[in-house]
Amino acid sequence: SGQSSSVIANLEWIAPSEREDGSPISLSEIAGYRVYYGSFAGEYPNRIEIMDSSANQARLSRIIPGRYYFVITALDTDGRESVFSEEVSITI
């Protein structure tokens, strides 16, 4: 049986220092992050959740080589999710 080649993508981000309304947010108010990604701009059918407020990176393994588009959101301790970050695209 054949095996398709796959690669690893490493993503990094900086924790937000303010909420969407401009009020400050501390790391103790952040519950984690969601990374959304897909093969087309503006379409993110895949998601990983990182429930660690101190996380600033994620590793996606078994990714098929190609072009991908990523956005990230922050989750606060009350369960609210931020809007998408600016989209980033990379070719893997």
Side-chain angles (χ1 to χ4, degrees), residues 12-90:
E12 292 184 9
W13 59 88
I14 297 171
S17 58
E18 62 182 39
R19 294 179 179 272
E20 292 164 27
D21 65 4
S23 63
I25 187 170
S26 69
L27 282 179
S28 65
E29 296 175 282
I30 296 173
Y33 302 92
R34 286 186 181 139
V35 177
Y36 296 86
Y37 63 100
S39 299
F40 298 98
E43 296 182 25
Y44 318 107
N46 306 296
R47 175 178 100 181
I48 60 168
E49 208 162 278
I50 299 122
M51 297 313 290
D52 177 356
S53 63
S54 65
N56 67 351
Q57 58 186 339
R59 174 179 240 178
L60 303 176
S61 57
R62 295 186 293 264
I63 299 287
I64 307 250
R67 186 143 187 92
Y68 289 90
Y69 298 84
F70 297 89
V71 293
I72 189 169
T73 62
L75 300 166
D76 75 7
T77 53
D78 292 327
R80 293 177 290 206
E81 184 175 12
S82 72
V83 296
F84 287 157
S85 67
E86 187 175 316
E87 182 181 79
V88 174
S89 68
I90 58 172

